[in-house]
Amino acid sequence: MLRRFAAVAASTAIGLLGPVVASAHADAPPAVNLATNPGFEIPTLPLADWGSIPGWNCGAGEATVTTAAHSGGSALAVTPAGDSSTGECGQTLSVRPATTYTLSAWVRGSYVFLGATGTGHDVPPAWTASTGGSWHLLTTSFTTGADVTSVHLYLHGWYGQGGFAADDVTLDGPPVDPARATWNVPTDDKVVFFTIDDGWTRTRPRPGSSRTTDCRSPPSRCRCRPGRTRTTSGRSPPSPAPRSRTTPSRTAT
């Protein structure tokens, strides 16, 4: 009877906790702003990869930073090079597949457009015909396709409509998963040892062999003058060579 009661209690507890655990794993990470340099506050850097506006790709000579900002100390100011240019600025960002994101920006000017491409679906841009000289918020949203891992954000004006300004760009949504470190993953590969020759002679002579002492070795190991070598036998310590004594001869006169 006690066993049956314990089994029923355990199954009831599992049934109650099961949905809670499943929902915990299903929770999406919190939304963050994925845009790079969204407020145009990063100073211009002397790097060709950054271009004139750090984090943004704009037409040559069309984009600058102005202090007339919506918030902070800087904003984007674009003046198209001619009537054939819209003055587009954009950036490419990593995203999650099959995920909804919200894109927004504060703009000022006439016929200013905000949108995204490469989402896997047709996304109509948000735009305004005129902001009346003040700041206006543009907002749009999109859901990425099942195989989409990056999207391209863009801001631009329209042909022959003059310049525009933008500030406080946001792409709100969950970030991509961080890259997994692979250098500490266990492996079944065989261990390989490397031997590095640093050029020093440290060998000990075996019986019956000879040893060469290199005088380029450290001073504690060198017993000969620099630039010379000495060969000794491994059988016994070296002994000085016998000297021959020569007696001067006298010549009779």
Side-chain angles (χ1 to χ4, degrees):
M1 185 67 180
L2 292 177
R3 291 182 179 179
R4 181 177 299 177
F5 177 77
V8 172
S11 61
T12 303
I14 293 174
L16 292 175
L17 293 176
V20 176
V21 174
S23 63
H25 286 288
D27 289 342
V32 297
N33 185 8
L34 302 179
T36 301
N37 192 15
F40 307 96
E41 304 291 339
I42 298 179
T44 301
L45 305 176
L47 299 176
D49 293 342
W50 282 99
S52 58
I53 307 297
W56 294 84
N57 294 317
C58 306
E62 294 186 328
T64 59
V65 173
T66 177
T67 56
H70 173 261
S71 68
S74 301
L76 173 69
V78 179
T79 302
D83 291 342
S84 60
S85 173
T86 61
E88 180 173 328
C89 288
Q91 61 178 251
T92 300
L93 300 172
S94 298
V95 293
R96 287 172 174 258
T99 304
T100 300
Y101 292 89
T102 300
L103 174 63
S104 64
W106 287 89
V107 300
R108 185 175 59 194
S110 299
Y111 292 95
V112 186
F113 294 76
L114 171 69
T117 60
T119 63
H121 309 283
D122 292 334
V123 180
W127 66 284
T128 179
S130 176
T131 64
S134 60
W135 289 99
H136 178 76
L137 180 64
L138 296 179
T139 303
T140 185
S141 62
F142 58 86
T143 300
T144 56
D147 298 325
V148 173
T149 57
S150 65
V151 296
H152 182 76
L153 312 184
Y154 65 82
L155 278 161
H156 66 72
W158 198 246
Y159 304 101
Q161 299 300 318
F164 68 92
D167 200 3
D168 298 329
V169 180
T170 61
L171 179 65
D172 285 336
V176 297
D177 293 329
R180 182 186 180 191
T182 58
W183 56 82
N184 58 354
V185 177
T187 177
D188 295 331
D189 295 341
K190 297 182 180 299
V191 178
V192 179
F193 293 93
F194 294 92
T195 301
I196 300 175
D197 185 5
D198 60 3
W200 297 107
T201 302
R202 298 183 180 87
T203 57
R204 183 185 299 274
R206 293 174 298 175
S209 64
S210 61
R211 176 180 65 184
T212 299
T213 301
D214 191 344
C215 286
R216 292 172 297 178
S217 302
S220 60
R221 297 180 180 272
C222 183
R223 294 186 179 180
C224 57
R225 286 179 293 176
R228 299 185 181 182
T229 60
R230 182 184 66 183
T231 302
T232 59
S233 173
R235 296 178 182 177
S236 59
S239 58
R243 298 182 179 181
S244 60
R245 302 181 62 181
T246 304
T247 302
S249 60
R250 296 181 179 181
T251 304
T253 59

